[in-house]
Amino acid sequence: MQTCNRIQDGFDACGFKWLADLKAGRVANWLADRRKPTRDKEGNVIPGLSVASSNHHLVAVKSFGNWLVKDRRCSENPFAHLSRMNARVDVRRERRTLSGQELGRLLKATKAGAVYRGLTGESREMLYLTALFTGLRASELASLTEASFDLTANPPTVTVEACYSKHRREDVLPLHLALATQFAGW
């Protein structure tokens, strides 16, 4: 869905309506304009699109071009020659692992938190712990039901159905004993 939105945003901004309208230069100019900082009404600088985000938009547009060729709607990808930029020169958010102390504070605050998106603080804490101990993605976590957990197995397991799994196969993952014990009490 995000890929489709990126393609649609680019095509709308570039004024593409027909296949004949597709021009790589317009996409390159649109992305360059989106990377430029702007100012709000108070004069504060609003940073432009990061290089990494710009690259994500470009990859989406290029993949659409590849689909056009594969589906024989075009003889060649009109965006094939556009290149991604080096995202290492424009790091906006440095990703890092939380320290044990930070993780503890996050879980404590989550558990004490109000209902958010239909989940109590305690339910969100269990969701976060499941994510931490299993490495499951958000969509995989959202697919879990009570039946997904086998806390009596040795070792206890959680099952992600094939239609939700990244690998498109049923994944049965062992659960850490401490997490399984916490689930049993929950």
Side-chain angles (χ1 to χ4, degrees):
M1 188 60 153
Q2 192 173 37
T3 299
C4 291
N5 290 337
R6 287 175 175 154
I7 295 166
Q8 189 69 55
D9 288 347
F11 285 12
D12 288 347
C14 293
F16 298 156
K17 300 260 186 250
W18 306 100
L19 291 179
D21 297 337
L22 301 179
K23 303 283 186 259
R26 282 198 209 160
V27 171
N29 291 337
W30 170 69
L31 289 172
D33 286 343
R34 297 260 338 254
R35 288 190 301 271
K36 292 178 185 172
T38 58
R39 292 192 179 271
D40 64 14
K41 292 176 184 175
E42 291 81 37
N44 301 316
V45 175
I46 301 170
L49 199 65
S50 71
V51 171
S53 293
S54 177
N55 285 343
H56 291 313
H57 282 79
L58 179 60
V59 167
V61 169
K62 288 179 76 166
S63 68
F64 179 77
N66 289 336
W67 174 81
L68 289 173
V69 173
K70 185 176 180 181
D71 204 48
R72 298 181 186 205
R73 294 171 189 253
C74 285
S75 59
E76 62 182 46
N77 182 343
F79 313 109
H81 71 279
L82 295 177
S83 299
R84 289 186 282 173
M85 298 176 66
N86 183 358
R88 292 185 189 142
V89 300
D90 182 27
V91 177
R92 304 274 175 105
R93 185 177 304 150
E94 191 110 7
R95 300 191 189 276
R96 64 178 181 81
T97 304
L98 291 176
S99 70
Q101 189 178 30
E102 290 170 323
L103 183 57
R105 286 195 320 258
L106 171 69
L107 293 172
K108 184 178 178 182
T110 300
K111 187 174 186 174
V115 174
Y116 180 71
R117 293 191 177 181
L119 295 175
T120 64
E122 187 178 17
S123 295
R124 282 192 333 234
E125 178 195 32
M126 292 304 294
L127 181 67
Y128 292 176
L129 284 169
T130 304
L132 288 165
F133 279 100
T134 62
L136 292 175
R137 297 164 166 247
S139 60
E140 293 168 330
L141 290 165
S143 75
L144 299 179
T145 64
E146 194 173 330
S148 303
F149 295 88
D150 185 355
L151 303 177
T152 60
N154 189 12
T157 61
V158 61
T159 302
V160 178
E161 299 299 325
C163 58
Y164 298 104
S165 169
K166 173 185 176 182
H167 309 293
R168 296 293 177 223
R169 64 169 190 255
E170 183 178 89
D171 290 328
V172 180
L173 304 169
L175 284 178
H176 192 278
L177 194 53
L179 180 61
T181 302
Q182 203 162 349
F183 263 119
W186 180 59

